[in-house]
Amino acid sequence: REAVPESTGMLFTWNEPRTGGFWMYNTYAPLDILYIGESSIGVAFRQMQPCFRFDHEQDSEWTQRCGGEAASYRPFVSYIDALELPQGFLESHGFNTEDPRSISVSFILES
């Protein structure tokens, strides 16, 4: 994916809480990611940057490098959902990304 249209995103849901992070595999547009707790309230926020493949870089080298970069995207808290949005969407709609606990998913979906 090279672009994410405005006011769109991807919602990932799980049946059980998890703590692992995300990485930008084959996604070349910067993203915001909001990790969401069981109460549908944000628990962590990260801005993710694309991990471009270098010329002549082998698949194994690229995935290892990108996986390493993705360590900074881990939320370090438990979450049940994750919402990926175009980078800057939350701030441009008045959400306080400094305090993800102030962000309710229902408000995002209405924006």
Side-chain angles (χ1 to χ4, degrees):
R1 181 167 293 276
E2 294 183 10
V4 180
E6 182 62 29
S7 298
T8 67
M10 291 184 72
L11 178 64
F12 300 87
T13 63
W14 293 272
N15 293 327
E16 299 291 326
R18 57 189 297 126
T19 57
F22 280 63
W23 71 302
M24 301 286 288
Y25 182 75
N26 282 335
T27 302
Y28 302 106
L31 299 173
D32 285 346
I33 186 166
L34 180 67
Y35 295 98
I36 303 161
E38 292 186 74
S39 61
S40 296
I41 301 295
V43 294
F45 170 80
R46 301 286 184 272
Q47 289 187 319
M48 299 191 301
Q49 299 302 320
C51 185
F52 295 102
R53 183 182 292 220
F54 297 130
D55 289 340
H56 309 294
E57 189 172 29
Q58 300 294 318
D59 283 344
S60 60
E61 295 170 313
W62 179 56
T63 56
Q64 184 176 2
R65 181 175 56 80
C66 293
E69 289 179 12
S72 63
Y73 306 139
R74 291 190 58 211
F76 299 105
V77 295
S78 179
Y79 63 94
I80 195 98
D81 302 315
L83 180 61
E84 290 182 345
L85 298 161
Q87 195 167 88
F89 176 88
L90 292 173
E91 290 176 346
S92 71
H93 285 80
F95 293 102
N96 179 5
T97 57
E98 296 293 319
D99 182 10
R101 294 168 295 159
S102 69
I103 303 173
S104 168
V105 175
S106 61
F107 289 135
I108 294 170
L109 298 177
E110 293 171 7
S111 295

